[in-house]
């Protein structure tokens, strides 16, 4: 009999001991009794013989023969649990694909596919033409057979059943086997551009470090050919039969990237993103683990993908906020990438035009190799940036007269214009013209956004919606007016102002659905649209060769934010937006509308660029004793009664008092109330990570044992990036 330590997915910072009739290797999944439930846990190691062995319960079931967390991932799991002060059982769960958390087999299973039945002839198909969806399904299957879960995702059960009953489709099974390194035989390098000198230096520098832990910041201005550097740097890695894992902010937003990798190497690329169904996700996980994929591209959680032959890690747009998980285990995928690269002894390339100050500081401090691309690829010119002072200027739909003129010029030359605004919806507020009352979400105490298209008000903080009222909720006057401009209104306005320019709106309301954005992006590059109106989505890595003008309507709000990262984020956004213009042969320009044209941040950015801004911002952070020169840990608490959340943090504060730490708060979060709960934060920071983490580690049990701990919602956030 053996005693085994198991990590169980419960919010307790410990492992639990069970017995088994045989020894078990770490990383296997087991079913264990826990209270009156049974839970799937992960074997951590052998446990010492407990004091009262008769009280130990048996392991009920062993799911795996091979560990689902290999040695390297298991040590990453321990590191995560330590560093983020998070229960190890929950960490192990987070690291696994959903189906494995639920107990599905980790071994590849035969897959059910559908194809068009052999007996179907043209005439039968003809009779289907009126049943449009059934017809579409048949046409799709005729192109290539589809796996069952994918088919279910795209077509309703009734449609699938209808064609099945008519005998038009039939199933077949694909065997479960996975072919180790089968991609290597198919690998062939498509024609590629000759790298310019800076690109060549970067590629060589990376390749000299093969087989070693070597983190690099690839700081390259927008359109400088960073992706081309990745492509050329991974070439020898793939040729040596090793795998490459690439993290990107959001694949839905940059489908072009995946295509570029596929086309360059002619092999299947494993793709992991949020819209993928659970079985497809598990399949990629298996293929990566068993060496069947050479390239895996995924979003944040793809950092947990097991690799049989780890060769290189790439984090594209490393500054992107989506790499930080904002609930549960609040990990930063970029920081984990550093850990993984170190464990597996491989190079890590973090690329961006707008490095986070954390990564930049590591590069400037020589902890990371620093590669720079200072020129745009293929002879494209740098986007010229300007500020338009709109004080006292007449404004229509949020656009100043002067700006309209500039837009008109670009449109008349047959070019595309991108207009950015940070707000979706019709207007960010609706208020009573008689008494001034603003319609607010009671649960968040913030104004409702007006969505004319849906005829509803929506709270952008909690999602609550209700019909647009016909009279003021306070004085009942029917005279309600909207305040400010959102994408919806801007679109209507621009249609009026430029009736001859075809336009498209791109925000999370207008591009719902999987392939819609991809289609729109294609249409944009085929010049179906002249005016592109949208939110942040438009700032992400897209290649728009015909855009020559980018207009930023309103960035003043961010200039006065209480969040110390607001300036960095704004500078990144503006620079990335500017990077969408002038990427090909035509020169591009960007105009920022502002009531504060002399603001030092805007001036610095426009005159000297992000490169200069970021180095200056680092000096400021240093003087202000802020990250990356200080480490922070944040304790958040929220409760229906503000008092409780506040008091909980105030009591917690006592346990954090230490000469080496600076503790700030409790203070209200930037968003003081959300979904009916009041929210407070407590920030602990220190110049060195170690003492900070030690104090927090010792304090946590006492904090968790406070009576209020069970009455408020609270969480710990290590290296926090979000203070809302
Ligand atoms: N050496 C080169 N010679 C010619 N064209 C190149 C070269 N390198 C890259 N390009 C082309 O330049 C364009 C921009 O390159 P790429 O998309 O790699 O830039 P990027 O730095 O990743 O851009 P961004 O960060 O702005 O998204 C692409 O169309 C690419 O094919
Ligand atoms: Zn709300």
């Amino acid at each position: 009999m053996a005693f085994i330590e198991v990590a169980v997915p419960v919010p307790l910072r410990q492992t639990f001991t069970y017995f088994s009739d045989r020894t078990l290797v770490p990383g296997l999944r087991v079913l264990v009794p826990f209270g009156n439930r049974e839970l799937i846990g992960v074997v951590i190691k052998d446990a010492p013989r407990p004091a009262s062995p008769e009280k130990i319960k048996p392991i009920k079931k062993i799911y795996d023969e091979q560990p689902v967390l290999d040695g390297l991932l298991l040590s990453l799991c321990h590191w995560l649990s330590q560093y983020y002060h998070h229960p190890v059982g929950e960490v192990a769960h987070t690291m696994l694909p959903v189906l494995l958390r639920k107990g599905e087999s980790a071994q590849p299973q035969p897959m059910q596919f559908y194809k068009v039945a052999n007996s179907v002839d043209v005439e039968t198909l003809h009779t289907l033409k009126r049943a449009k969806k059934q017809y579409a399904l048949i046409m799709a299957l005729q192109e290539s057979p589809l796996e069952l879960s994918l088919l279910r995702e795209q077509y309703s059960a009734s449609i699938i059943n209808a064609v099945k009953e008519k005998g038009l489709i039939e199933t077949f099974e694909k065997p479960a086997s996975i072919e180790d390194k089968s991609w290597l035989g198919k690998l062939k390098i498509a024609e590629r551009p000759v790298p310019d000198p800076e690109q060549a230096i970067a590629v060589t520098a990376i390749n000299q470090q093969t087989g070693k832990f070597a983190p690099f910041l690839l700081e390259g201005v927008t359109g400088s050919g960073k992706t081309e550097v990745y492509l050329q740097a991974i070439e020898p890695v793939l040729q040596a039969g090793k795998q490459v894992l690439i993290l990107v902010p959001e694949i839905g937003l940059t489908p072009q990237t995946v295509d570029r990798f596929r086309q360059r190497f002619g092999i299947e690329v494993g793709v992991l993103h949020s819209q993928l169904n659970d079985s497809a996700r598990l399949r990629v996980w298996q293929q990566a683990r068993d060496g069947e994929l050479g390239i895996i591209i995924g979003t944040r959680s793809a950092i947990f993908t097991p690799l049989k032959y780890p060769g290189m890690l790439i984090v594209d747009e490393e500054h992107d906020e989506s790499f930080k998980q904002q609930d549960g285990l609040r990990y930063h995928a970029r920081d984990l990438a550093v850990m993984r690269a170190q464990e597996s002894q491989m190079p890590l390339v973090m690329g961006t035009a707008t490095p986070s100050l954390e990564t930049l500081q590591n590069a400037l401090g020589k902890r990371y190799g620093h590669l720079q691309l200072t020129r745009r690829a293929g002879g494209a010119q740098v986007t010229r940036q300007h500020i338009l002072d709109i004080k006292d200027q007449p404004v229509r739909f949020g656009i100043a007269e002067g700006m309209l003129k500039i837009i008109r010029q670009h449109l008349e030359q047959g070019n595309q214009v991108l207009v950015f605004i940070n707000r979706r919806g019709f207007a960010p507020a609706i208020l009573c013209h008689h008494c001034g009352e603003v319609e607010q979400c009671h649960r968040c105490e913030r104004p409702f956004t007006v969505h004319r298209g849906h005829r509803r008000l929506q709270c952008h903080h909690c999602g609550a919606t209700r019909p647009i009222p016909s009279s003021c909720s306070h004085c009942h006057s029917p005279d309600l007016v909207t305040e400010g401009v959102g994408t919806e209104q801007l679109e209507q306005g621009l249609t009026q102002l430029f009736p001859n320019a075809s336009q498209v709106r791109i925000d999370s309301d207008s591009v719902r659905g999987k392939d819609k954005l991809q289609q729109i992006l294609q249409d944009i590059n085929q010049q179906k649209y002249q005016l592109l109106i949208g939110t942040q989505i438009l700032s992400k890595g897209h290649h728009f060769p015909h855009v020559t003008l980018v207009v930023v309507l309103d960035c003043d709000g961010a200039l006065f934010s209480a969040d110390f990262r607001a300036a960095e984020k704004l500078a990144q956004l503006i620079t990335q937006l500017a990077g969408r213009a002038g990427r090909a042969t035509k020169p591009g320009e960007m105009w920022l509308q502002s009531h504060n044209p002399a603001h030092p941040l805007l001036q610095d950015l426009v005159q000297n660029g992000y490169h200069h801004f970021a180095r200056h911002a680092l000096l400021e952070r240093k003087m202000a004793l802020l990250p990356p020169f200080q480490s922070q840990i944040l304790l958040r608490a929220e409760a229906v009664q503000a008092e409780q959340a506040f008091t909980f943090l105030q009591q917690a504060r006592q346990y954090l008092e230490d000469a080496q730490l600076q503790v700030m708060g409790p203070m209200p979060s930037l968003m003081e109330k959300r979904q009916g709960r009041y929210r407070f934060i407590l920030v602990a920071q220190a110049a060195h990570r170690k003492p900070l983490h030690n104090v927090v580690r010792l304090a946590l049990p006492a904090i968790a044992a406070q009576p209020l701990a069970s009455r408020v919602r609270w969480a710990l956030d290590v290296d926090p990036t979000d203070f809302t």
Side-chain angles (χ1 to χ4, degrees), residues 435-478:
C435 78
E437 178 85 358
V438 176
E439 294 294 325
Q440 277 200 344
C441 169
H442 294 302
R443 307 203 309 158
C444 303
E445 292 179 8
R446 292 284 170 104
F448 273 116
T449 299
V450 184
H451 287 258
R452 276 267 169 88
H454 297 115
R455 302 209 184 133
R456 291 188 82 80
L457 301 182
Q458 190 190 51
C459 172
H460 282 189
H461 304 285
C462 71
T465 77
R466 56 163 140 133
I468 296 177
S470 51
S471 62
C472 170
S473 56
H474 183 67
C475 75
H476 307 293
S477 155

Side-chain angles (χ1 to χ4, degrees), residues 1 31 34 71 157 184 207 214 266 272 291 295 302 349 389 401 437 498 505 525 548 561-562 638 663 671 712 721:
M1 194 163 76
L31 187 70
F34 194 89
L184 194 51
N207 286 332
L272 287 166
I295 304 175
V349 183
D389 184 354
E401 286 291 347
E437 178 85 358
F498 301 101
R505 170 162 67 97
N525 286 347
T548 56
S561 164
E638 47 177 77
V663 185
M671 187 85 208
V712 305
T721 55

Side-chain angles (χ1 to χ4, degrees), residues 387 555 558-559 566-568 570-571 574 592 596-607 613 617:
I387 303 170
C555 59
L559 295 174
E568 178 188 351
L570 178 64
I574 289 177
L592 295 168
N596 304 277
H599 194 286
L601 165 76
L602 295 182
Q603 284 297 334
D604 190 16
L605 255 190
V606 165
Q607 284 172 22
F613 157 83

Side-chain angles (χ1 to χ4, degrees), residues 180-191:
D180 192 1
K181 280 199 189 174
S182 52
W183 53 273
L184 194 51
K186 297 178 200 138
L187 188 73
K188 57 173 191 294
I189 317 276
E191 202 185 327

Side-chain angles (χ1 to χ4, degrees), residues 251 258 262 269-273 276 280-281 284 293 295-298:
I251 292 173
V258 177
R262 217 175 258 146
V269 171
V271 179
L272 287 166
H273 57 82
L276 210 61
R281 186 175 276 277
V284 174
L293 287 170
I295 304 175
I296 298 103
I297 302 186

